[in-house]
Amino acid sequence: LPPHVPLWYWATAFYYVNRGEMAPALAEFTKGHALDPGTKDYATLAAFCAGRLGQTARAQARLDSLPDLPDYYADRAIVYAGLR
């Protein structure tokens, strides 16, 4: 996949997450979100990484932006897992 395809950043971000390297994963999720802002998962997973990096304000901002609806409960769980 070429780097201008959002899925490229999704794949590379998860490569870093699986290695426990949250800073580069956060950068990749952020790039993917910039290319595909309509996909809410990029922002959620970036917030997960931010939480793991101690950037609690960024993670909390994502939580605050999510509606309190069942469709978003999984997103909330992911962000909370980052804050563990």
Side-chain angles (χ1 to χ4, degrees):
L1 293 171
H4 66 278
V5 176
L7 188 56
W8 167 269
Y9 297 106
W10 182 268
T12 56
F14 271 106
Y15 166 79
Y16 290 122
V17 167
N18 285 322
R19 293 176 50 88
E21 300 176 28
M22 295 302 151
L26 174 58
E28 296 298 296
F29 282 130
T30 301
K31 291 175 193 173
H33 188 247
L35 289 174
D36 188 7
T39 301
K40 67 181 175 75
D41 294 335
Y42 283 109
T44 297
L45 291 162
F48 167 84
C49 294
R52 289 288 169 100
L53 291 168
Q55 299 174 14
T56 57
R58 184 170 179 176
Q60 187 62 52
R62 179 62 180 157
L63 288 171
D64 293 343
S65 76
L66 294 170
D68 191 19
L69 298 170
D71 287 348
Y72 295 91
Y73 289 174
D75 294 88
R76 288 180 177 283
I78 291 167
V79 178
Y80 279 123
L83 291 169
R84 64 166 164 92

